[in-house]
Amino acid sequence: MSTEQEKKPATEPTPAKRSFSQRHKCALFLAKATLSLGALVVFYGAYLDWQIRSKMDGQIWRLPAEVYSRIESVRLQDNLTLNDVTQLLLNNDYRQTTFVAAPGDFKIENDTIVLLRRAFPFPDKMEAQRVFRLRFSDEKLTVIEDLINRTTIDEFRLAPKLVAMLQSDKEERLAIPLQNYPRFLIDTLILTEDRRFYEHQGVSPIGIARAMITNIKAGQTVQGGSTLTQQLVKNLFLSNERSITRKINEALMAIILDLRYDKNRILETYLNEIYLGQNGDTQIHGFELASHFFFGHPVREISLDQIALLVGMVKGPSLYNPWRNPTYAKERRNVVLGLMLEHKMIDKELFDLLSQRPLGVQEKGSIARPYPAFIQTLQAELRQNLGENKSASLLGARIFTTLDIKQQAYAEQAVVDATRKLQLQTKNPNLQSAMVVADYKQGEIRAVVGGLQTEYAGFNRAFMAKRQIGSLVKPSIYLTALSDPEKFRLNTPINNQPITIHIKGSQPWQPKNYDRKYSGSVMLVDALTRSLNIPTVNIGMKVGLSKVIETQQAMGWDKVSIPKVPAMLLGSYSISPYDVTKSYQVIANNGGKIPLSTISAITDRQGEVIYQHQTEPEQVVPEQSAMQTLYAMQQVVERGTARSLQNDFANLHLAGKTGTTNDARDTWYVGIDGENVATIWLGRDDNGETGLTGASGALEIYKNYLHRAEVTPLKLKKIDDIQWVGINSYGSWNCYSPVRNIPVWADKGQNFCASSVKPADLPPREAPAPVEDAKPAE
């Protein structure tokens, strides 16, 4: 045996065995690779599933808070006319039609109104939609019939108007339940975008093929290949990047989404998520918000052709924007209407009618930001009450405000109209103005106007501008004095001679009356009526600056910087119109302070109340002194600086106060009727001279407002310990032949008439000089 033979192994693998070994290794590698790939797919699928569930089972969107106007009611007791009710319905976005078919419709026939009241989740409870018939007799509402329950009722509430949304993340949407979407919209959407929605498992190869064939036949893209589920995945989880990776992720997530959730949940999310337009830098998501944005109505209340337009815009919101590209939008709408005709959702006659209609969109951007000054004031109040870090608690909340749409319109029209006239009259184009209207019995802000550009969310002069208040400070000083009836009553004589006040470390201060006229003395009530400076300073110094400031802070100026110097008695410091209104709310409400609020209630998405405005007043000053001050302010209108109101409004017995600052830089007026207090400022942003006074400037805006608004007369409240006692022209008690009667606080049960004597019995040498009946200073 050779050496080579000795080294040769006993057995040697055959070619067949070597081939088997290689196949075995290859199979093992493939198995490992498959297992690894499978594990990777499982883990990746689990990751995608986690992404989907974390969003779908949690907070899908950072929903904006919905802001609603004041809740209005139709009541028999209010003696409303047919015109009153009609205007109320129109203000709350109801539509006058010839046939009542949808929520928000109403029709007028002879002396009746039939309306379909919208369902709405009010703060206290959810109320279903109802059909009401209102009967009028002699133009007055006499009967309200609930045609569903077949009964008569005394009143019903109207769903308030959606006035704004406090946005989040530069997205806006109004998410509503699936059952609130019109069936016609759902059917049209599925027909146009995904006909096998209820059959496929998230991805539809058949649908893709059908879309390709349909688009080829039409010569244009009328159907998309992606399912609604895929579109939802793209909008909710992915970007718009065009890549194979995104399409794979889209398909995988669509399959997972379809496995995890039922079709109706997916459809509801899609309807509320789909992107349909842009409002400035804010995105418009969901059909409900898009309906408000383009048509000014909820999606349940738009017509079939408008539904077709919204569905058609899904394919390209920018391309088919009805404001930017109306021709393309109409063509796309008619394509959708053609599909509806082809599938017998509508007939040929209806198709011809709808396809010829104009687009029916509202004026561009009208949803943008109505009532900006009111909304700014509301947002400031939310920050104050909830804090900067609690905004998450408002996600999806409903904020029910105190905004009275009608009052807001009156205030806006008055500010714009009267200020423009004053600009022309004074040749001063830089005049600006602001106005606040509040219900003083409820402490609720009804209207806020921040400037002449009433739809511009810029500088809110009503809330942010702080200007010297001048004579507006005086009622709080007189009220402080009248709170001490031992020393001050309305007929107390007050010195009206020039005075000099020495101030340590400063030059002597010599206040002057506005008209530079003086007299020996003047009754306290007439000093306020004529807005005299010298008597006001005398009263304030006798009462004490500390006491005056204490009263002002109790009345709502607790956050105002009030200097403790004699000049503060003539309003030498600056306050916003909003803060001015706080003090006058207390006077108008007989000393009862209710913090002013733009918010009535806030509910979360489930309808639970999370905030409620409290309207129980706190008695911060004696009601007797507040009532006497209010009477003196009535005298301002009857015979004082605001007496020009008597020409047209004497029957309303209004109370008011004018205000003018140095060099006529700021003009003010505060008016009080039987329900509301209105504060008006007129001046220039650059603090320049206006050439006007409170009586010739701000008061003119109030007059304009009164001509528009429905104002109730002011009646002084009957208060314990207040007696109406006669006085003569000297201010002495005279119950026999009084010149006028004044309210007097009988704090110790006094009988002032018992000490009264006839004028003839009073010795001439003892008679005080009669009060000078000078003309008002402002």
Side-chain angles (χ1 to χ4, degrees):
M1 183 179 296
S2 68
T3 306
E4 290 141 351
Q5 289 175 331
E6 289 176 359
K7 292 180 180 178
K8 192 173 183 178
T11 60
E12 185 175 293
T14 64
K17 287 182 178 181
R18 285 197 299 271
S19 176
F20 173 79
S21 176
Q22 290 174 351
R23 287 198 303 271
H24 177 73
K25 289 179 181 179
C26 186
L28 185 61
F29 173 78
L30 288 174
K32 289 180 179 180
T34 303
L35 185 62
S36 298
L37 184 61
L40 184 63
V41 170
V42 168
F43 280 116
Y44 189 63
Y47 167 71
L48 295 179
D49 179 57
W50 171 80
Q51 273 197 318
I52 292 170
R53 285 188 293 112
S54 63
K55 190 136 192 172
M56 293 292 288
D57 295 340
Q59 179 74 51
I60 300 179
W61 309 289
R62 291 182 60 81
L63 294 175
E66 300 165 16
V67 182
Y68 292 92
S69 64
R70 179 189 179 199
I71 297 173
E72 301 271 14
S73 295
V74 176
R75 294 186 289 259
L76 289 177
Q77 67 184 44
D78 292 340
N79 294 317
L80 298 170
T81 66
L82 190 144
N83 287 336
D84 291 337
V85 175
T86 300
Q87 191 59 51
L88 184 61
L89 293 173
L90 294 174
N91 287 342
N92 284 275
D93 282 347
Y94 277 72
R95 301 174 303 279
Q96 185 173 350
T97 62
T98 56
F99 181 74
V100 176
D105 287 349
F106 76 96
K107 67 174 182 177
I108 301 175
E109 291 183 351
N110 300 323
D111 291 329
T112 65
I113 293 178
V114 177
L115 67 101
L116 181 49
R117 196 275 305 269
R118 300 183 180 101
F120 192 79
F122 292 97
D124 54 344
K125 64 178 180 178
M126 175 74 188
E127 291 190 10
Q129 68 182 37
R130 285 284 185 270
V131 180
F132 295 117
R133 179 162 56 207
L134 284 57
R135 298 186 183 276
F136 296 82
S137 179
D138 296 327
E139 277 292 303
K140 298 292 183 182
L141 177 61
T142 55
V143 178
I144 303 175
E145 298 175 272
D146 183 337
L147 300 183
I148 299 295
N149 295 321
R150 297 183 180 181
T151 184
T152 59
I153 57 177
D154 293 329
E155 64 179 279
F156 64 90
R157 293 184 290 187
L158 294 172
K161 179 179 180 178
L162 178 69
V163 296
M165 285 169 292
L166 304 186
Q167 67 184 38
S168 176
D169 296 337
K170 291 189 177 180
E171 288 187 2
E172 289 191 0
R173 62 170 53 74
L174 287 175
I176 61 174
L178 180 63
Q179 60 265 28
N180 286 359
Y181 277 102
R183 186 71 220 182
F184 213 97
L185 183 144
I186 294 171
D187 291 343
T188 304
L189 176 67
I190 290 175
L191 171 66
T192 307
E193 294 295 323
D194 188 0
R195 297 182 192 176
R196 298 187 68 249
F197 174 71
Y198 284 103
E199 300 168 21
H200 62 65
Q201 279 72 51
V203 177
S204 175
I206 297 175
I208 295 173
R210 179 185 292 115
M212 291 177 62
I213 295 171
T214 302
N215 293 338
I216 292 171
K217 287 181 178 180
Q220 59 178 312
T221 303
V222 296
Q223 284 187 29
S226 297
T227 64
L228 291 183
T229 315
Q230 287 176 271
Q231 292 180 41
L232 176 60
V233 165
K234 184 179 71 172
N235 277 273
L236 203 55
F237 302 102
L238 303 174
S239 68
N240 288 324
E241 176 192 2
R242 293 180 177 272
S243 68
I244 297 296
T245 302
R246 186 190 66 78
K247 291 299 291 184
I248 292 172
N249 281 332
E250 179 185 298
L252 287 174
M253 294 181 83
I255 293 170
I256 295 171
L257 187 65
D258 196 85
L259 288 171
R260 276 283 182 190
Y261 301 96
D262 65 56
K263 292 291 187 179
N264 285 345
R265 175 70 190 283
I266 294 171
L267 181 60
E268 178 183 276
T269 308
Y270 179 93
L271 291 166
N272 290 319
E273 167 59 29
I274 189 66
Y275 170 74
L276 287 168
Q278 197 80 16
N279 181 25
D281 61 352
T282 301
Q283 298 176 7
I284 302 299
H285 285 262
F287 283 96
E288 174 71 357
L289 179 59
S291 182
H292 282 277
F293 185 55
F294 291 110
F295 307 117
H297 296 292
V299 72
R300 300 182 300 280
E301 300 176 15
I302 60 176
S303 59
L304 297 184
D305 55 304
Q306 291 170 330
I307 285 176
L309 175 59
L310 290 183
V311 170
M313 289 176 64
V314 169
K315 181 171 174 286
S318 179
L319 178 63
Y320 301 116
N321 183 302
W323 292 316
R324 187 183 305 135
N325 300 314
T327 302
Y328 290 163
K330 189 171 184 179
E331 289 174 355
R332 177 61 182 165
R333 181 200 67 182
N334 290 348
V335 166
V336 176
L337 288 172
L339 288 174
M340 295 160 66
L341 172 64
E342 179 185 341
H343 290 267
K344 300 186 177 2
M345 292 178 64
I346 57 175
D347 58 25
K348 184 65 168 61
E349 182 181 358
L350 186 55
F351 170 81
D352 291 339
L353 173 66
L354 298 179
S355 60
Q356 294 303 313
R357 279 185 177 179
L359 292 173
V361 293
Q362 62 180 350
E363 184 179 348
K364 182 178 180 180
S366 60
I367 196 176
R369 282 289 177 268
Y371 325 119
F374 186 95
I375 299 302
Q376 287 175 338
T377 308
L378 166 72
Q379 290 175 309
E381 186 178 345
L382 287 172
R383 288 192 294 270
Q384 178 181 338
N385 291 336
L386 299 179
E388 295 283 357
N389 299 324
K390 294 185 179 180
S391 59
S393 63
L394 292 179
L395 295 179
R398 294 184 179 92
I399 301 175
F400 298 94
T401 74
T402 61
L403 173 67
D404 186 317
I405 294 173
K406 187 165 54 175
Q407 291 282 69
Q408 178 73 31
Y410 294 151
E412 289 180 357
Q413 292 162 5
V415 164
V416 173
D417 185 49
T419 306
R420 296 295 187 205
K421 289 180 180 178
L422 289 170
Q423 287 176 338
L424 294 173
Q425 174 186 317
T426 60
K427 298 180 180 179
N428 193 340
N430 296 318
L431 291 180
Q432 267 289 355
S433 51
M435 186 172 184
V436 178
V437 180
D439 181 328
Y440 55 79
K441 295 177 183 176
Q442 303 294 322
E444 296 180 345
I445 300 292
R446 296 287 180 241
V448 182
V449 183
L452 295 185
Q453 293 176 289
T454 57
E455 295 183 358
Y456 173 60
F459 184 59
N460 182 356
R461 296 167 185 82
F463 188 77
M464 301 174 185
K466 295 183 178 182
R467 305 297 291 256
Q468 285 197 6
I469 56 173
S471 295
L472 287 193
V473 75
K474 291 175 181 175
S476 64
I477 299 168
Y478 285 71
L479 187 151
T480 306
L482 291 168
S483 297
D484 185 358
E486 291 289 326
K487 297 179 181 178
F488 296 98
R489 301 189 188 280
L490 289 174
N491 61 333
T492 299
I494 308 297
N495 181 30
N496 188 28
Q497 287 293 320
I499 57 174
T500 299
I501 297 177
H502 296 278
I503 305 170
K504 188 176 180 179
S506 301
Q507 292 292 324
W509 184 50
Q510 295 180 317
K512 298 177 176 60
N513 286 336
Y514 187 84
D515 60 2
R516 302 298 194 274
K517 294 181 180 179
Y518 307 93
S519 61
S521 66
V522 61
M523 276 191 288
L524 183 148
V525 62
D526 291 334
L528 180 59
T529 298
R530 293 159 50 192
S531 198
L532 300 176
N533 290 340
I534 298 297
T536 302
V537 173
N538 282 325
I539 291 172
M541 295 302 292
K542 190 168 184 179
V543 169
L545 299 183
S546 297
K547 184 64 176 176
V548 170
I549 293 173
E550 179 185 329
T551 301
Q552 292 172 341
Q553 290 177 334
M555 293 170 68
W557 293 355
D558 50 312
K559 292 182 173 62
V560 176
S561 178
I562 306 175
K564 193 177 178 181
V565 295
M568 61 83 66
L569 298 170
L570 298 182
S572 61
Y573 50 103
S574 300
I575 305 181
S576 70
Y578 181 85
D579 283 331
V580 166
T581 310
K582 293 180 181 178
S583 176
Y584 281 87
Q585 179 273 324
V586 174
I587 296 174
N589 202 37
N590 294 297
K593 175 184 174 182
I594 304 174
L596 294 184
S597 181
T598 57
I599 304 169
S600 176
I602 302 176
T603 62
D604 61 20
R605 203 66 196 168
Q606 289 69 45
E608 296 295 323
V609 176
I610 58 179
Y611 175 82
Q612 186 83 46
H613 174 56
Q614 299 301 316
T615 59
E616 188 66 29
E618 175 191 0
Q619 200 70 36
V620 294
V621 294
E623 59 179 349
Q624 294 87 352
S625 55
M627 181 267 193
Q628 292 176 86
T629 306
L630 189 57
Y631 165 80
M633 290 177 62
Q634 281 185 316
Q635 296 299 296
V636 171
V637 176
E638 184 175 331
R639 63 179 72 198
T641 57
R643 70 191 184 283
S644 61
L645 287 172
Q646 291 295 93
N647 296 334
D648 296 317
F649 308 107
N651 62 315
L652 296 176
H653 309 291
L654 301 170
K657 185 68 192 80
T658 54
T660 309
T661 62
N662 291 338
D663 299 321
R665 297 183 188 279
D666 300 281
T667 81
W668 294 86
Y669 187 75
V670 176
I672 299 172
D673 60 42
E675 184 176 355
N676 296 317
V677 53
T679 301
I680 299 161
W681 167 85
L682 181 140
R684 291 173 47 152
D685 289 337
D686 61 3
N687 205 32
E689 296 183 19
T690 65
L692 299 166
T693 65
S696 61
L699 180 57
E700 290 301 310
I701 297 176
Y702 188 64
K703 288 180 186 176
N704 194 300
Y705 167 76
L706 290 178
H707 279 294
R708 301 172 189 275
E710 299 162 3
V711 179
T712 57
L714 173 61
K715 297 180 181 179
L716 296 179
K717 179 184 175 183
K718 291 183 179 180
I719 297 175
D720 292 340
D721 298 332
I722 288 290
Q723 297 180 12
W724 286 85
V725 185
I727 59 172
N728 60 23
S729 58
Y730 304 102
S732 300
W733 308 120
N734 188 331
C735 298
Y736 300 97
S737 55
V739 174
R740 52 178 154 161
N741 293 301
I742 61 171
V744 181
W745 185 358
D747 57 311
K748 296 180 180 178
Q750 301 97 319
N751 184 354
F752 298 95
C753 286
S755 60
S756 164
V757 294
K758 296 180 180 180
D761 297 334
L762 188 67
R765 60 186 179 85
E766 295 183 12
V771 176
E772 181 184 347
D773 190 22
K775 293 182 179 180
E778 298 179 28

